[in-house]
Amino acid sequence: MTPGAGTGSGSLPPALREALERLAALPRPLVVLDFDGVLAPLVDDRDAARPLERSSAALAALAALDGDRAVDLALVSGRPLEPLVRLASPPEGTSLVGSHGAEVRLAGAQESSAPLDEAETALLADVVDRVRAVAGTHAGTDVETKPAGVVLHTRRAALDVASSAQRAVTDGPGRLPGVRAMRGKDVVELAVLDVDKGRSVQALRASTGADAVLYAGDDVTDEHAFAVLDPAAGDVGVHVGDGSTAAAHRVADPEAVADLLEHLLALRSR
Ligand SMILES: [Mg+2]
């Protein structure tokens, strides 16, 4: 098989196909997707991440379904909203959650960033300084600032340098009162607001009045989202890739996510 050709719904485990069938039969399903490693293959240059064409096409077609076939769509990412929108180019009407929930743009609503109070603003400035100091002494690491947090990226660092830098951040500024540390793939993120993808999913569920939620994610930060899903009530959690997970289902890679979206589209269109 040539890369990008896709494998069709046959690549999806039977239990997942059944769960998708149940989801597609509900009046109002909500589809929530992580971006990196799910819609877009992971790449070293974070700015070069792009969704697979098949996934973009399936999302556009899902977004175009209307009436009693309509599906609510949302992207939930650790990235800030601006690069998420720029790189993902989501179809109109997609709800967007950036920075793990610190930035929210619900379909048809105003953008909202959870505002920081004075103490949180001062704490964030201190945390950014400390993380920059760590990056300054660890070659190949870099720092990304967000409205309510800061990220140390270590993907381009040598393995021992990466783990030493991650430790320095987790054990240093990550231990300050009011700071929440999250480790992901080649990243450590420190947030000064209490947000995570699980809370984001619950907020999306409430705002859309969804009957059930499909969530696909590949990283440890997505486990917060899987933890709020209720498979008995029709929710479908899909972990993308290897690694332990609380999700009920697993697929191999973003190509399989494209298969999943195409299959859901076919089920919802008939
Ligand atoms: Mg991801």
Side-chain angles (χ1 to χ4, degrees), residues 5-212:
T7 48
S9 65
S11 78
L12 305 175
L16 174 54
R17 286 213 301 277
E18 281 162 32
L20 291 175
E21 232 159 89
R22 284 194 296 275
L23 184 87
L26 293 169
R28 199 77 194 182
L30 167 65
V31 175
V32 186
L33 304 163
D34 176 31
F35 177 67
D36 293 285
V38 173
L39 289 176
L42 295 175
V43 287
D44 281 344
D45 176 3
R46 287 174 52 74
D47 255 348
R50 291 292 183 280
L52 292 177
E53 263 178 50
R54 286 199 300 130
S55 288
S56 288
L59 280 183
L62 282 166
L65 296 174
D66 59 6
D68 61 0
R69 305 277 79 192
V71 174
D72 287 302
L73 297 177
L75 300 189
V76 172
S77 176
R79 289 188 188 253
L81 264 189
E82 185 279 318
L84 175 64
V85 173
R86 177 165 45 83
L87 301 175
S89 309
E92 208 175 314
T94 304
S95 292
L96 299 161
V97 176
S99 303
H100 300 284
E103 300 172 278
V104 178
R105 187 186 296 165
L106 296 179
Q110 288 260 307
E111 182 168 327
S112 63
S113 281
L116 301 187
D117 64 23
E118 213 170 294
E120 287 162 343
T121 304
L123 176 61
L124 178 59
D126 182 26
V127 169
V128 169
D129 284 348
R130 290 171 189 241
V131 173
R132 284 204 170 116
V134 171
T137 56
H138 291 80
T141 66
D142 53 286
V143 176
E144 176 190 14
T145 58
K146 296 183 170 188
V150 57
V151 188
L152 178 80
H153 291 276
T154 59
R155 193 176 170 90
R156 291 197 250 209
L159 275 185
D160 57 328
V161 175
S163 64
S164 143
Q166 291 191 3
R167 234 182 357 259
V169 165
T170 314
D171 296 348
R175 295 241 168 114
L176 292 172
V179 173
R180 182 166 188 196
M182 287 182 280
R183 293 185 85 138
K185 282 181 185 147
D186 308 313
V187 299
V188 181
E189 173 147 5
L190 303 182
V192 300
L193 274 182
D194 203 8
V195 293
D196 66 44
K197 289 179 171 182
R199 288 169 189 232
S200 304
V201 166
Q202 296 301 57
L204 289 164
R205 192 198 291 276
S207 76
T208 56
D211 297 303

Side-chain angles (χ1 to χ4, degrees), residues 221-247:
T221 56
D222 297 299
E223 294 300 318
H224 295 294
F226 295 133
V228 303
L229 299 184
D230 181 1
D235 291 341
V236 184
V238 184
H239 177 79
V240 183
D242 298 331
S244 65
T245 181

